[in-house]
Amino acid sequence: MESWFYHRNEPNQDIESIGDSHSPSSNPNIHSPEPIRPSEDAQGKLTVHPVSSTPLSHLFPSRHSSQSTQLPSEYLNMTRRASPAVLAQGDRRPLSMGNPAVLGLWAFATVTILLGVYNLFLPHKSNHILYPTAMLFGGLAQYVAGFLDLFYGGTFSGTILVSYGAFWAGTGMMMLPTVEPVLDAYQTAWDLRQANAIYDFMWSFYTLMLLFVSFKVKNGTFILSWCLWWVFVTLFLSAIYFITDVTAVLRVSGVTAFLAAIGAYYSGCAAVFEEQRSKWWVGKYKWVKKR
């Protein structure tokens, strides 16, 4: 794959010569793994020591090494350039892997906008019809997408998707009829409303922390901060509603849920079209230093 990737524009070159030029014997930068051999110390305890203590900075240079600005050729051959347009992701991913954040963003946006519809237009109606979408799409799909994002180095972006995937999966579980007996542990309706308020308050403050991080993280964007801000406002207003029981507050939280969902839909579209070489504005922060 490496030979085809780099030589697909050279039709007159012999295929065998290409293979020979990339053989391990002709490339001094390719090293086999160092063998590990156990040994005993003076107290009879087993310890392991590599045969050679040669550092692997030629393969994976650290951020403090002199080679930190140049990625190893082996790493470049196994990855491709990727769009950092969404969720402050890295700019490379495996050759055969798409961008899982798109699925996570659209799953989050869909279930959030459904919640916004009920909060805005049907505040006194049951929203249990959201259960399948909350569990499978907003919950499970977003959760898996987050772990795939973590797999190729999206620390911050993967954390966001896993966090809200777990939030929506838990919210969907609370809609199950079998969970209703658990809620009977609260003696009065006011006790249950207090519990819901505490739950939403804690998630809103967690979102606020993510918002502050988004201002300083590498590849941070205005669209990312937009989504996190309106998610924070939605959760905060929802907690206020459980305490005050004012319907107008719940309706306003429906509007803010729409704004958060629109930002997530837009961010996912920006990532898709970025791979089609069509750049959408996402508002990259200029004050974040490039490394």
Side-chain angles (χ1 to χ4, degrees), residues 76-138:
L76 295 175
N77 294 341
M78 295 299 296
T79 60
R80 63 181 176 88
R81 290 189 61 83
S83 165
V86 297
L87 293 178
Q89 294 175 303
D91 57 359
R92 301 198 70 84
R93 71 172 56 93
L95 288 173
S96 60
M97 190 174 187
N99 192 344
V102 176
L103 171 62
L105 283 165
W106 287 349
F108 171 82
T110 301
V111 70
T112 301
I113 209 167
L114 284 173
L115 176 68
V117 169
Y118 273 86
N119 287 356
L120 180 59
F121 301 108
L122 303 169
H124 297 297
K125 300 291 184 179
S126 172
N127 59 3
H128 282 49
I129 194 65
L130 302 181
Y131 165 70
T133 304
M135 278 290 295
L136 298 179
F137 197 37

Side-chain angles (χ1 to χ4, degrees), residues 48-217:
V48 292
H49 303 281
V51 174
S52 173
S53 59
T54 303
L56 298 179
S57 59
H58 62 282
L59 293 179
F60 302 99
S62 67
R63 56 179 294 193
H64 302 291
S65 66
S66 59
Q67 302 175 350
S68 59
T69 57
Q70 296 180 356
L71 292 173
S73 59
E74 290 85 355
Y75 175 75
L76 295 175
N77 294 341
M78 295 299 296
T79 60
R80 63 181 176 88
R81 290 189 61 83
S83 165
V86 297
L87 293 178
Q89 294 175 303
D91 57 359
R92 301 198 70 84
R93 71 172 56 93
L95 288 173
S96 60
M97 190 174 187
N99 192 344
V102 176
L103 171 62
L105 283 165
W106 287 349
F108 171 82
T110 301
V111 70
T112 301
I113 209 167
L114 284 173
L115 176 68
V117 169
Y118 273 86
N119 287 356
L120 180 59
F121 301 108
L122 303 169
H124 297 297
K125 300 291 184 179
S126 172
N127 59 3
H128 282 49
I129 194 65
L130 302 181
Y131 165 70
T133 304
M135 278 290 295
L136 298 179
F137 197 37
L140 180 62
Q142 187 179 182
Y143 196 74
V144 173
F147 275 107
L148 291 176
D149 203 2
L150 288 170
F151 171 74
Y152 70 82
T155 302
F156 186 58
S157 53
T159 300
I160 293 175
L161 294 176
V162 171
S163 298
Y164 293 108
F167 171 82
W168 276 114
T171 301
M173 290 178 61
M174 297 303 293
M175 298 177 182
L176 284 171
T178 54
V179 179
E180 290 184 0
V182 178
L183 302 179
D184 293 338
Y186 298 99
Q187 297 180 356
T188 64
W190 171 242
D191 291 339
L192 180 58
R193 297 177 72 88
Q194 282 182 315
N196 282 323
I198 294 172
Y199 183 81
D200 285 344
F201 269 133
M202 291 307 301
W203 271 100
S204 66
F205 288 126
Y206 174 72
T207 305
L208 186 63
M209 180 195 71
L210 296 178
L211 173 63
F212 287 137
V213 174
S214 71
F215 291 132
K216 298 296 293 182
V217 72

Side-chain angles (χ1 to χ4, degrees), residues 234-251:
T234 301
L235 291 168
F236 190 82
L237 290 177
S238 179
I240 295 297
Y241 165 73
F242 283 119
I243 294 176
T244 62
D245 197 21
V246 176
T247 304
V249 175
L250 187 61
R251 291 184 184 273

